Amino acid sequence: MHKFEHKEKPQKPKCRNHSDQEATYRCDNCGKPYCKRCVKGQGYGRVFCAECEVLVADFLDLI
Ligand SMILES: [Zn+2]
Ligand SMILES: [Zn+2]
């Protein structure tokens, strides 16, 4: 039985801004991976990257 195959482990996504940080979050708008230091807008019950947070904040203000 060859239980141990030489397979590449799937790479965990890294933060778009910090290549050494594991991306534990994903922007709910653009879907790009970011670390927790980079996500914004958690007060809306969703997480957004800095770019999308600006757009979403404007959008939510209009509601
Ligand atoms: Zn985004
Ligand atoms: Zn980051």
Side-chain angles (χ1 to χ4, degrees), residues 11-29:
Q11 296 252 329
K12 289 190 175 175
K14 293 282 193 281
C15 173
R16 302 265 300 181
N17 296 332
H18 305 97
S19 55
D20 59 335
Q21 289 288 320
E22 204 172 289
T24 46
Y25 291 89
R26 200 172 277 271
C27 175
D28 274 329
N29 188 55

Side-chain angles (χ1 to χ4, degrees), residues 12-62:
K12 289 190 175 175
K14 293 282 193 281
C15 173
R16 302 265 300 181
N17 296 332
H18 305 97
S19 55
D20 59 335
Q21 289 288 320
E22 204 172 289
T24 46
Y25 291 89
R26 200 172 277 271
C27 175
D28 274 329
N29 188 55
C30 64
K32 290 171 186 169
Y34 289 95
C35 73
K36 70 175 177 186
R37 285 155 60 195
C38 292
V39 291
K40 315 259 182 185
Q42 295 173 45
Y44 307 121
R46 291 164 174 264
V47 294
F48 299 103
C49 67
E51 279 176 50
C52 295
E53 197 259 351
V54 175
L55 303 173
V56 171
D58 280 353
F59 179 69
L60 291 180
D61 274 349
L62 295 174

Side-chain angles (χ1 to χ4, degrees), residues 4-14:
F4 301 101
E5 295 177 23
H6 293 284
K7 276 186 181 172
E8 297 246 347
K9 284 182 184 174
Q11 296 252 329
K12 289 190 175 175
K14 293 282 193 281

